[in-house]
Amino acid sequence: MLFKISLYTSGLLLFFLYLKPFKKLSFYFSLYVFSPILIGLSWLIDGISGAILGSLFLFFFVPSDVRFENNEIVINKKFGGLLGRCCDYEVVKKKMFLFEEKAAEFNFDKNIYLKKKDVQLRENYLEIHLVLKDYDLKEDQYIEKDTTIFVLMK
């Protein structure tokens, strides 16, 4: 948190330093000045136009929502904006400590949180085991459903 605040304040300071002898770099630093103003306006506008405007600027600042991670892969919940559909996930393979390769994308109709034992990486697909709870109105009780998702990887 402290790092983000110091990064933001340094961007604001650099905007004002590069403003007088106007340089191309001041366009980049203007993002630090105008993004809070536009996000505030989108909050005040309300409705669909405010949500679209807010999504455009928040897209660059929202951190990854990691749902599962091990030494080989990472499963992230994708950010679809304020009006995006629910539960799009992407599978990313780790390569050489620093690089990543997008291996697959899938959609599931519920939010999932995975444990180490739930995900198994096979040769060309990913096997995800879930236990879902559903409410049965006729019986007035919860029913657990054992579910397996197979995600084909590139």
Side-chain angles (χ1 to χ4, degrees), residues 53-71:
L53 186 62
S55 295
L56 287 174
F57 286 100
L58 290 176
F59 179 75
F60 298 106
F61 300 110
V62 173
S64 298
D65 187 6
V66 177
R67 297 299 172 104
F68 175 80
E69 183 174 10
N70 66 10
N71 295 335

Side-chain angles (χ1 to χ4, degrees), residues 17-133:
L17 288 175
Y18 282 95
L19 190 60
K20 276 297 182 191
F22 192 76
K23 297 180 181 176
K24 293 178 184 177
L25 199 56
S26 62
F27 282 119
Y28 170 73
F29 293 125
S30 67
L31 178 71
Y32 291 97
V33 174
F34 295 120
S35 64
I37 295 168
L38 291 174
I39 289 171
L41 282 175
S42 68
W43 180 68
L44 290 174
I45 288 173
D46 208 17
I48 193 164
S49 58
I52 290 171
L53 186 62
S55 295
L56 287 174
F57 286 100
L58 290 176
F59 179 75
F60 298 106
F61 300 110
V62 173
S64 298
D65 187 6
V66 177
R67 297 299 172 104
F68 175 80
E69 183 174 10
N70 66 10
N71 295 335
E72 299 172 5
I73 62 168
V74 176
I75 299 177
N76 295 323
K77 184 175 179 188
K78 292 175 65 175
F79 177 70
L82 300 175
L83 298 174
R85 69 179 183 168
C86 177
C87 313
D88 286 331
Y89 299 95
E90 69 179 353
V91 180
V92 178
K93 283 185 179 179
K94 295 180 180 180
K95 300 239 178 188
M96 295 187 294
F97 182 70
L98 184 62
F99 300 107
E100 297 178 340
E101 174 189 4
K102 187 190 304 186
E105 291 183 0
F106 66 96
N107 185 314
F108 195 67
D109 62 344
K110 298 184 183 201
N111 278 322
I112 56 175
Y113 295 93
L114 303 168
K115 300 174 187 161
K116 297 276 186 194
K117 63 179 180 158
D118 294 339
V119 178
Q120 296 174 357
L121 183 62
R122 306 289 186 212
E123 286 184 23
N124 59 351
Y125 66 94
L126 193 64
E127 190 174 325
I128 303 171
H129 298 285
L130 298 170
V131 176
L132 301 175
K133 292 183 181 178

